[in-house]
């Protein structure tokens, strides 16, 4: 039997390992995204509640919405907009995961094998795994940023309707085309800086904390290497990742959701730094952690 014939009878995962890995990871990410999406929408709504820059510019005069916690916000969305609106913006979120997962996987394997390199014994040092994970996450998030932009803006459409404002988009395709026509290619990457920062910080917190907590538990407690140990380590790594990433996520959401002029320039914030300063000055430091609980629960 020739090598070509042998290759043809191999299972698909063995013939195209990277393509199979990408397809499986994309499907798993899409399912996870759909299941947890109501938490993401609730998080986005929480992050823009009480936005000082909006009130300072008079954009919400007489229509201020009192701050509500995660459960009351979710219940309010169901009561005021309908149950199905908890999944508004889910389509670009799935697109985002497909792009993010694929690019991150390819970038990580390239960094591991060609840039950072393995040790002489073929192991991959922990510090290289952290650097590779942060870098791959940042690269993946950069390419997926346009889908994040559309997702955030679609998540806010229900709130705009309640406030008597016109809806911005008729659907996902219309959203991409409208943003592109008004702001050009650059407009699709609005908010990419805090978006990339968030991805890098979340990957760093997740990778470093998970291994550290697991090793601590195995060395200092009666726990063995089982599902309980993995669950505790995952919960702890999720907390650290949320603590590190939520401030950048709040800034990202506000940058992406702000109104823009005909050239696609933001009317509330000049940059992510300006958004950070205005948020802290107008609402206090803890406003950077609006939406923390649903963020952590999604981790």
């Amino acid at each position: 039997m020739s090598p070509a014939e042998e290759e043809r009878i191999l299972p698909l995962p063995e013939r195209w390992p990277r393509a199979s890995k990408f397809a499986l990871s994309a499907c798993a990410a899409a399912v996870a995204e759909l299941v947890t999406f109501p938490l993401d929408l609730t998080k986005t709504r929480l992050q823009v509640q009480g936005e000082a820059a909006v009130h300072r510019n008079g954009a919400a005069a007489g229509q201020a919405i009192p701050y509500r916690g995660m459960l009351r916000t979710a219940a309010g969305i169901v009561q005021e907009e309908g149950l199905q609106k908890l999944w508004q913006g889910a389509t670009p979120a799935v697109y985002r995961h497909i792009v993010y997962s694929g690019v991150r996987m390819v970038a990580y394997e390239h960094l591991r094998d060609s840039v950072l390199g393995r040790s002489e014994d073929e192991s991959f040092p922990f510090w290289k795994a952290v650097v590779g994970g942060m870098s791959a996450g940042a690269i993946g998030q950069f390419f997926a940023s346009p889908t994040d932009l559309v997702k955030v803006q679609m998540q806010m459409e229900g709130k705009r309707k309640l406030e008597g404002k016109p809806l911005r988009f008729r659907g996902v395709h219309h959203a991409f085309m409208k943003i592109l026509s008004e702001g050009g290619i650059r407009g699709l990457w609005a908010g990419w800086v805090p978006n990339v920062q968030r991805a890098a910080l979340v990957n760093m917190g997740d990778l470093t904390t998970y291994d550290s907590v697991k090793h601590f538990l195995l060395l200092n407690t009666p726990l063995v290497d089982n599902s309980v140990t993995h669950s505790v380590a995952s919960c702890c790594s999720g907390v650290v990742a949320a603590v590190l990433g939520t401030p950048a996520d709040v800034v990202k959401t506000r940058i992406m959701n702000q109104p823009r002029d005909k050239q696609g320039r933001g009317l509330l914030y000049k940059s992510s730094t300006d958004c950070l300063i205005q948020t802290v000055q107008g609402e206090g430091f803890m406003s950077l952690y609006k939406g923390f609980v649903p963020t952590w629960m999604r981790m």
Side-chain angles (χ1 to χ4, degrees), residues 65-84:
I65 297 177
Y67 183 82
R68 302 183 291 192
M70 181 185 75
L71 295 178
R72 289 184 62 193
T73 297
I77 293 170
V78 174
Q79 292 170 359
E80 296 161 4
E81 304 169 39
L83 179 64
Q84 75 278 9

Side-chain angles (χ1 to χ4, degrees), residues 80-103:
E80 296 161 4
E81 304 169 39
L83 179 64
Q84 75 278 9
K85 294 300 181 181
L86 286 174
W87 279 270
Q88 187 164 30
T91 301
V94 172
Y95 293 166
R96 179 254 177 197
H97 262 298
I98 292 173
V99 175
Y100 176 72
S101 299
V103 174

Side-chain angles (χ1 to χ4, degrees), residues 126-207:
F126 177 66
W127 73 267
K128 288 187 177 181
V130 173
V131 172
M134 287 180 63
S135 302
I139 294 168
Q141 191 60 69
F142 174 78
F143 282 98
S145 199
T147 57
D148 240 341
L149 175 67
V150 172
K151 181 199 75 172
V152 167
Q153 295 198 6
M154 291 189 72
Q155 286 177 326
M156 296 305 300
E157 290 293 85
K159 182 172 179 286
R160 288 177 61 86
K161 188 175 182 179
L162 290 176
E163 294 175 346
K165 298 176 182 177
L167 297 181
R168 292 175 286 196
F169 313 120
R170 295 191 299 270
V172 179
H173 179 262
H174 179 243
F176 277 111
M177 297 308 297
K178 186 177 180 182
I179 294 170
L180 183 62
S181 64
E182 292 178 352
I185 293 293
R186 185 176 179 181
L188 286 171
W189 268 267
W192 73 269
V193 173
N195 210 6
V196 167
Q197 290 172 341
R198 174 196 170 277
L201 290 168
V202 166
N203 275 278
M204 180 183 72
D206 198 16
L207 287 167

Side-chain angles (χ1 to χ4, degrees), residues 284-297:
F285 178 78
M286 291 309 296
S287 64
L288 295 175
Y289 286 92
K290 287 182 176 180
F292 175 83
V293 175
T295 298
W296 171 58
M297 291 178 68

Side-chain angles (χ1 to χ4, degrees), residues 25 34 224 294:
S25 63
L34 291 173
V224 295

Side-chain angles (χ1 to χ4, degrees), residues 23-44:
L24 289 172
S25 63
C27 290
V31 172
E33 182 65 35
L34 291 173
V35 171
T36 63
F37 191 77
L39 288 170
D40 188 70
L41 184 134
T42 303
K43 174 209 72 174
T44 300

